[in-house]
Each structure stands twice: as structure tokens, then as C-alpha cells.
Amino acid sequence: MTDRGTEQVTAESALYVFAVCKLPDPSAFAGLPGVAAGEALRRLRFGELTAIVQTVRAADFTDEAWQARMADRGELERYARAHHDVVSAAAESCPTVPLPMATLYHDEERARQALLDETERFLAALRRTTDHSEWGVKVYAAAPAASDPARTRPEPSAGGSRPTPGAGLAYLERKRGAQAQRERRHEDSLRVAEAVEAAFQGLATAGRRLRLHAPEPAGTSHVQVLNATYLVAEHRAAELEPLTRALRDATGARIDISGPWVPYSFVGEV
């Protein structure tokens, strides 16, 4: 969709596209800075839809500039937040399809034509997500104890280097017991994740599993066993909290939900 990467940017300015909407209210994003201070956000009509756009300095979005930005966490976060603020403001005023950060075209005419070519996809995404929001669900199970009895080697007999009689067998039994305990814990975690996922799938219009986050820093007591996101109709959103409480009580797991969000994860599947 974007011109970036297909042609070298040589003009002084380019057009940044944040989202595609139906009848956005311009007052919803009038006070936002977007990604280019001093340049107003505006609407770009194409067919029956409207894009939210902003003129930016092309030099700020060359491949080299963007790679440098990707390496600067603070700068990248600033751009991501600016992009998200515009998308969220548009979504509050009308059904909205968010576009990926740094969707850029050389000029209005090229943007209009490219967006027109994608009209059917945008309309399908709007049909899928209108009156819906995205909700995140993360499930954490208790982490295994730091001490592992299987790591305790057999004690040598008094006055010698040889293990005491029976110590080797006891060590092997402890090791087998620890392995069996890890397997049971893993199977229990899988069952909890599947139960939670099935419950939220029953409430949601669609759902997606995401990559599990890395283990929390040492000293924390939980490991993530489910990281998922769901597309939920607005009239069913009030059911999420009671469902989460019931699942916590039934499984004993820590279950965190977040939202509502603009449904970024569900506009690319149509």
C-alpha cells in the first residue's frame, strides 16, 4: 500500500496516511499534532471513503531516517503514540480502519488512486469491525519454585568421597519426581490456557493467539501461558469483567484483560 521501498523519495514533501474512515468528524482530531508539528491533519476523500492524512517532510521518512528511528526507542515510541492518537480520535467519531505506522505516499493523487484500489478491502474490514473493539487477554500461571530438589547431589558418606548407601537411588527418585511435577505443571497450564481461550472465543466475534511474552524478571512469581486478543461486539463488552472473574475463581490463574482498543489486529484478515 505504501510507496516507501518501491521508489526513492526525492520530493520535499510526502503524504502520511493514518486511517481510512466513513464520514469522520474533523473536530475529533483537529487539535492533534500528528507526526509533523505545524502541519494540519486533514481529510482526503476517495470514492465513498475518507482517509485521515498529513503532509510530512519526505526527508524524515527515507529508509535511512526510519531505520535510525527504529533504533531509538524513545523516538519510535513518540511516533507510535502520535499515530495511535490520530487513529483513536478518528475511531471515536466513526468506523475506522487503522493503517500501519509510516504508510506514506508521494502525493495526494497517488494516495487517492492507491486507496481507491483497496476500497473493497477497506469496506470488508469496516463491515467486520464496526461496533466492535479489540480486547487483550493475558493469562499467567504460578512459576515453578526456584529450588529444584533434583539438583541436590547425593551426600558422600562420613569420612569418604563415596555416596552413602541408597543415596544414588534416592537422588534418581527425586529427579524423576521433579520431572513428573514439571510435566504436570505444564499440562495444567495448557489446560488453563485452553479453558480461558474457549471461554473468550465463545463471547467474541473473532480471536487471535499472539506470541507469548518473555518470562518476567527474576523474582516474579508468574509465567505467561496465554497471550491473545479478541474482537468483541460493543453490546457484549460488559460481559468481559464477569467472565474474567469467573475464570479466575475456576482456574486460580492470574488473568489480565485490557481494552477497548481500535481493532488493529482484525483489519488485515479480510
Side-chain angles (χ1 to χ4, degrees):
M1 174 171 297
T2 174
D3 284 347
R4 294 184 72 251
T6 59
E7 295 181 21
Q8 187 172 0
V9 175
T10 55
E12 291 185 358
S13 65
L15 197 70
Y16 189 111
V17 185
F18 294 86
V20 168
C21 315
K22 277 187 173 178
L23 301 174
D25 177 0
S27 67
F29 47 83
L32 297 175
V35 296
E39 289 288 345
L41 295 160
R42 64 184 190 279
R43 295 172 295 174
L44 177 68
R45 188 78 180 176
F46 65 98
E48 60 188 289
L49 298 173
T50 301
I52 310 302
V53 304
Q54 185 177 37
T55 298
V56 297
R57 285 195 338 129
D60 291 338
F61 289 90
T62 61
D63 286 341
E64 293 77 12
W66 196 248
Q67 288 301 320
R69 192 168 294 126
M70 294 284 284
D72 184 335
R73 185 173 178 176
E75 182 72 354
L76 183 61
E77 184 175 335
R78 187 176 73 80
Y79 269 81
R81 190 176 299 279
H83 180 93
H84 178 70
D85 287 347
V86 176
V87 170
S88 297
E92 288 180 4
S93 73
C94 66
T96 296
V97 177
L99 298 191
M101 190 167 61
T103 297
L104 207 69
Y105 297 93
H106 287 271
D107 53 49
E108 283 195 8
E109 191 51 42
R110 293 176 69 101
R112 184 178 284 108
Q113 187 56 55
L115 295 171
L116 268 173
D117 292 344
E118 298 261 11
T119 294
E120 284 307 313
R121 187 177 73 82
F122 291 136
L123 290 174
L126 288 168
R127 285 193 294 271
R128 178 184 177 85
T129 60
T130 294
D131 297 328
H132 286 69
S133 296
E134 181 171 342
W135 292 79
V137 176
K138 294 179 174 58
V139 180
Y140 300 86
S147 61
D148 183 350
R151 293 180 179 175
T152 306
R153 294 284 178 182
E155 292 290 338
S157 58
S161 60
R162 296 172 63 85
T164 56
L169 179 59
Y171 168 71
L172 290 175
E173 288 179 346
R174 285 200 304 274
K175 197 165 184 177
R176 281 196 291 267
Q179 176 64 25
Q181 191 176 36
R182 282 194 294 271
E183 291 174 357
R184 284 196 299 273
R185 206 158 39 222
H186 179 65
E187 290 169 0
D188 289 345
S189 297
L190 292 179
R191 277 195 289 271
V192 168
E194 289 168 1
V196 172
E197 183 177 36
F200 278 94
Q201 286 281 15
L203 188 153
T205 302
R208 291 181 58 191
R209 274 204 183 201
L210 307 175
R211 180 181 299 177
L212 295 177
H213 290 172
E216 295 182 354
T220 57
S221 58
H222 292 81
V223 292
Q224 191 175 80
V225 296
L226 177 67
N227 181 18
T229 189
Y230 298 93
L231 184 67
V232 179
E234 290 174 358
H235 73 274
R236 301 205 66 179
E239 300 175 47
L240 289 167
E241 280 290 350
L243 175 63
T244 304
R245 284 196 298 272
L247 288 167
R248 286 175 186 143
D249 292 343
T251 65
R254 172 183 148 195
I255 304 173
D256 297 340
I257 64 172
S258 62
W261 309 109
V262 179
Y264 285 92
S265 301
F266 298 96
V267 298
E269 300 179 339
V270 293

